[in-house]
Amino acid sequence: MKSRTIAFAVVALMLLSGLAVAQKAQTSDIHLFQNFFKDAVITQAPYGEAGLNYGSYDGASSLAIGVQGGYPVNPKLEVGVGLNFLSWSYDGGGSESGISDLLVSGRYLLKPGPTQMTAGAYLTLPIGGEEVGQGTLDFGMFGATRHKLDNKMIITGTVGIDFLEYKTYSYDIDYTTGEFTEKEKSKRETSIVLGGGLIYAVDKALNIVGELVLKTEVDYMMLSGAVDYTMGGGHLRGGLGLGLDDGAPDLLIMGSYLMHF
């Protein structure tokens, strides 16, 4: 894990150093995949995305079908929400399904111009099912940046901190009656989030999106490559993710359709 973290830090520094030599900035309606809500773009029109993600793990697989989107309160402030239906299947039999917690986010444009910078925060409302790993109040904050280079390439970067709630259970036994009493306890862990990405405009309709994201506490690291194709007044989006640490799926398949309103 430590060697992977160091390697990622080197990549992140290389991406950030590229910002210093960039000359032209431009906002974009091309959204990130992994860091969809932790991005520097402030939308100028409401947008919504519907799609699914399929993840393959060692001993299990997951399917998430959901919607997410954003709304511009003003030219500098955007709020967003996301909700999924989750299904887990386990090797050898057994499955669980339920809704996710409701994610609510906001981000504010700190600095327009050659290097666009945004600060934001999020929280999850614990309305989801515990059987699918939900029902927790998580929150966090982040800073994000975007910059367009002269070669049709946009560099993105994200640094954040997540405060994650974990629930543990213990049981007391009444030896007189033989009854079990369940006790629930919650604890909170801190996770650092680092992300770097590249968006390359192949032509007016097709963009290629690459990302590398690290989350420390949950042992998550994923490298993803995806395409965003403008079609029918919206964006047809799809890609693959390769897990590089135990907390990420070994393989992630992503597909969605995003529209601005």
Side-chain angles (χ1 to χ4, degrees):
M1 176 62 187
K2 183 179 292 186
S3 61
R4 291 173 179 172
T5 303
I6 294 173
F8 184 85
V10 172
V11 173
L13 288 173
M14 292 174 64
L15 292 175
L16 292 174
S17 66
L19 296 176
V21 300
Q23 298 178 358
K24 297 181 181 180
Q26 178 179 321
T27 58
S28 172
D29 61 353
I30 308 303
H31 295 263
L32 297 177
F33 285 72
Q34 294 191 64
N35 271 333
F36 186 87
F37 288 107
K38 297 177 180 178
D39 197 0
V41 169
I42 302 298
T43 184
Q44 301 303 306
Y47 63 91
E49 181 180 45
L52 59 85
N53 291 340
Y54 172 81
S56 176
Y57 296 80
D58 184 15
S61 62
S62 67
L63 178 66
I65 303 173
V67 293
Q68 57 188 6
Y71 179 83
V73 178
N74 59 51
K76 289 189 175 183
L77 177 63
E78 176 184 328
V79 295
V81 294
L83 184 68
N84 290 283
F85 173 80
L86 303 175
S87 179
W88 283 88
S89 298
Y90 302 97
D91 293 354
S95 63
E96 298 285 354
S97 61
I99 64 170
S100 72
D101 295 332
L102 179 66
L103 186 147
V104 180
S105 73
R107 54 183 183 248
Y108 184 80
L109 181 63
L110 296 175
K111 182 181 180 297
T115 301
Q116 185 171 338
M117 300 180 66
T118 300
Y122 81 94
L123 62 84
T124 61
L125 301 180
I127 64 172
E130 294 184 5
E131 65 274 11
V132 287
Q134 302 295 291
T136 59
L137 178 62
D138 303 331
F139 59 92
M141 60 194 72
F142 63 91
T145 185
R146 275 200 183 199
H147 205 116
K148 183 177 180 181
L149 305 177
D150 288 337
N151 57 358
K152 299 182 180 180
M153 186 173 292
I154 297 173
I155 294 176
T156 74
T158 300
V159 177
I161 183 169
D162 292 343
F163 300 95
L164 307 175
E165 182 184 9
Y166 293 93
K167 293 183 178 180
T168 60
Y169 299 89
S170 61
Y171 299 90
D172 288 340
I173 304 175
D174 187 330
Y175 292 100
T176 303
T177 63
E179 294 182 351
F180 287 83
T181 302
E182 183 182 78
K183 292 184 177 181
E184 178 183 292
K185 294 183 179 180
S186 294
K187 66 176 183 177
R188 198 167 294 280
E189 300 288 350
T190 301
S191 178
I192 303 299
V193 179
L194 297 174
L198 298 172
I199 302 174
Y200 179 73
V202 179
D203 53 38
K204 292 183 178 180
L206 179 62
N207 287 267
I208 298 174
V209 183
E211 293 177 76
L212 182 61
V213 175
L214 166 70
K215 302 176 184 179
T216 58
E217 180 60 32
V218 292
D219 294 333
Y220 178 102
M221 180 181 285
M222 175 166 286
L223 176 67
S224 64
V227 295
D228 183 301
Y229 185 76
T230 303
M231 184 182 71
H235 297 258
L236 183 63
R237 292 157 49 86
L240 296 175
L242 178 63
L244 303 177
D245 210 341
D246 294 338
D250 298 326
L251 179 66
L252 180 66
I253 302 173
M254 303 171 285
S256 63
Y257 189 75
L258 184 148
M259 288 191 66
H260 289 83
F261 303 102

